[in-house]
Amino acid sequence: MENKNGQIQVELKEEVAQGTYANLAIITHSTSEFIFDFIRVMPGLPKAGVQSRIVMTPEHAKRLLYALQDNITKYERTFGPIRMIEKQSDSKTFVPPLSDFKGEA
């Protein structure tokens, strides 16, 4: 619903407000949509569960990209560069990027 200033009022319900933790995202797309699967990978467990799936149009996916870039720039300006862990000695805790991921939907 829009107010008189043309702004959208957003409601954050209590059951959603705490958020859902995910440490892996898999993104797929078709000609008409992008699908973001947010996954929680737990050490020692053979299966990782999809915690949330978001489907959006290509235009909105690009808007998300720009918003994320802007927020990361602001974060790094305040807190310093985000370090990307390239290599970790304990292979049990390191989850490499997935190249041929085959999941179940």
Side-chain angles (χ1 to χ4, degrees):
M1 174 186 271
E2 289 188 25
N3 64 18
K4 60 183 176 181
N5 297 329
Q7 295 178 334
I8 297 173
Q9 295 180 0
V10 177
E11 177 186 6
L12 181 59
K13 295 181 180 178
E14 191 174 329
E15 63 270 16
V16 176
Q18 291 184 19
T20 300
Y21 180 77
N23 53 7
L24 176 67
I26 296 176
I27 304 168
T28 55
H29 65 275
S30 69
T31 57
S32 59
E33 60 197 17
F34 276 73
I35 301 167
F36 300 84
D37 285 329
F38 294 94
I39 299 160
R40 182 181 307 148
V41 178
M42 300 301 287
L45 295 181
K47 264 190 170 182
V50 173
Q51 302 300 306
S52 182
R53 172 175 276 190
I54 304 295
V55 181
M56 61 179 63
T57 65
E59 178 185 353
H60 284 99
K62 197 162 191 176
R63 289 179 188 273
L64 175 64
L65 169 68
Y66 291 154
L68 187 56
Q69 283 178 319
D70 182 53
N71 276 269
I72 288 174
T73 299
K74 289 175 183 174
Y75 176 95
E76 290 184 322
R77 194 177 306 132
T78 302
F79 302 107
I82 298 171
R83 289 185 7 194
M84 298 291 293
I85 300 171
E86 298 297 326
K87 197 174 191 181
Q88 210 169 21
S89 60
D90 182 3
S91 63
K92 291 180 183 176
T93 59
F94 177 65
V95 178
L98 302 174
S99 57
D100 288 331
F101 179 78
K102 292 183 176 42
E104 298 175 9

